[in-house]
Amino acid sequence: MDIVLALGGGGVKGHAHTGVLRVLTREGFHVRALAGTSAGGLWGSLFAAGYTPDYIQKRMSEMDVSSIYARQPDDGPALLGLTGIKNLLREMLAEREFDDLYIPFAVTAVDLETAQEVSLRRGSVYDAVMSTIAVPGIFPPKKYSGRELIDGGVLDPVPVEVARSLAPGFPVVAVVLSPPLDEWEGPSKPRLFNSVPPFMSYLTRTRQAKAFNIFLRAVDIGGAKLTELHLLLDQPDVVIRPDVPQIGFLDPVNISEVVRLGELAAERALPALHQAISLKGWMARHINRRSYPGLNDQLIKTN
């Protein structure tokens, strides 16, 4: 049961990816290739490096919350740093390059100078992941291969076409952490930045906290709209959408609960997954799938 995965971004919502990966592994699905953007790139890199969902959850749960977003003296312009994430990735990925991974893998980033989407699939996995999680203004941009790179979600929140290019012909499963557009109409659940985390308590008595909330919600709105556009154009075979819109980008979370939301979404998607790998699903991909010439003409492969 071969599939290709495209993992989307969403800050701490990314813990839901662990639950999705756990169910897919348990149900016998073989991930032939994997692409990730932002948080999807982080979780995807660990899975592609051979770590099990159980171990990924364990290591994420052991992280020191107070150091996750700590800044370092050499960090670039950004509100927060990524010291805790850097330490985790340096330990778990070490000196791995993409060719060392167990699963073909790529992440996306955006070149600040040229405004082009960049597909990173050669060289240092650590450097590539640090590029794709560099949410502009919040985390420092990453200098990599002569470019200054930021979060790939700025242009493509769920890298379906990049995933498809890694293993053509196999069904592409997109894991989306933003709500569908119809959930934005009328009364909605709170989203994005529900509370100022402890490490940003200095903002709570200033206008900056409210301004930061507005900024992040605007990012969330634009990202959700862009996600739906790409899903319409890129046509993944299956969309798995964990019920996480109530979780803010940097909210303190119960990791086990978020992981469980990912598991539930993957379990609900099992009939669609089995349909996608069936003969009928194969025919739909090869006969009925629309093409959009020129959609990814600007996508650049690095290294």
Side-chain angles (χ1 to χ4, degrees):
M1 296 193 294
D2 296 325
I3 58 173
V4 175
L5 283 181
L7 303 183
V12 296
K13 299 176 186 180
H15 290 293
H17 289 313
T18 302
V20 172
L21 291 169
R22 177 176 289 149
V23 170
L24 294 178
T25 301
R26 183 190 73 205
E27 297 295 325
F29 289 94
H30 177 214
V31 179
R32 293 292 298 262
L34 172 61
T37 293
S38 198
L42 194 162
W43 267 266
S45 71
L46 300 179
F47 187 72
Y51 294 107
T52 66
D54 288 349
Y55 188 72
I56 293 171
Q57 180 176 349
K58 176 178 180 294
R59 293 306 308 273
M60 291 288 185
S61 300
E62 292 171 346
M63 293 185 67
D64 179 3
V65 176
S66 65
S67 70
I68 292 177
Y69 304 116
R71 287 183 55 84
Q72 296 178 328
D74 59 344
D75 280 341
L79 183 62
L80 305 175
L82 286 165
T83 297
I85 301 294
K86 287 180 180 179
N87 293 339
L88 178 72
L89 291 177
R90 284 193 180 112
E91 180 182 345
M92 296 185 72
L93 297 177
E95 301 299 321
R96 282 185 176 88
E97 297 198 353
F98 280 85
D99 289 342
D100 300 323
L101 299 176
Y102 292 95
I103 301 171
F105 178 61
V107 301
T108 64
V110 174
D111 187 318
L112 267 177
E113 181 176 350
T114 65
Q116 291 174 315
E117 182 179 352
V118 181
S119 172
L120 305 173
R121 56 184 76 181
R122 298 286 186 273
S124 165
V125 180
Y126 168 83
D127 286 336
V129 174
M130 291 306 299
S131 300
T132 196
I133 64 175
V135 180
I138 301 177
F139 302 131
K142 174 68 177 177
K143 293 187 182 299
Y144 182 52
S145 295
R147 300 172 180 268
E148 190 166 24
L149 301 178
I150 58 173
D151 182 357
V154 169
L155 291 179
D156 187 358
V158 186
V160 171
E161 280 300 297
V162 174
R164 183 174 283 129
S165 72
L166 294 173
F170 293 100
V172 178
V173 178
V175 184
V176 180
L177 302 182
S178 61
L181 292 181
D182 56 9
E183 289 190 13
W184 289 80
E185 300 174 359
S188 61
K189 300 176 183 178
R191 293 187 184 88
L192 204 65
F193 203 54
N194 298 331
S195 59
V196 179
F199 59 84
M200 291 185 65
S201 58
Y202 66 92
L203 290 180
T204 57
R205 293 183 300 275
T206 72
R207 294 180 181 178
Q208 296 176 36
K210 291 183 179 179
F212 194 51
N213 273 314
I214 293 169
F215 169 71
L216 287 178
R217 181 159 176 85
V219 171
D220 199 29
I221 291 170
K225 299 284 187 179
L226 190 58
T227 295
E228 297 308 306
L229 175 62
H230 273 279
L231 292 176
L232 176 64
L233 295 179
D234 298 339
Q235 298 185 31
D237 298 275
V238 178
V239 175
I240 298 177
R241 201 183 299 254
D243 186 19
V244 291
Q246 73 282 2
I247 299 173
F249 185 80
L250 297 175
D251 280 349
V253 296
N254 182 316
I255 291 177
S256 296
E257 290 180 1
V258 183
V259 170
R260 182 56 184 158
L261 292 173
E263 292 174 351
L264 292 171
E267 289 166 355
R268 289 193 301 268
L270 286 175
L273 287 164
H274 286 288
Q275 171 78 4
I277 63 174
S278 67
L279 177 60
K280 185 176 180 180
W282 182 92
M283 294 176 64
R285 278 192 306 282
H286 290 79
I287 298 174
N288 298 325
R289 181 176 177 268
R290 300 172 184 172
S291 62
Y292 294 85
L295 179 62
N296 289 296
D297 287 348
Q298 297 301 312
L299 186 62
I300 297 176
K301 297 179 183 178
T302 294
N303 289 337

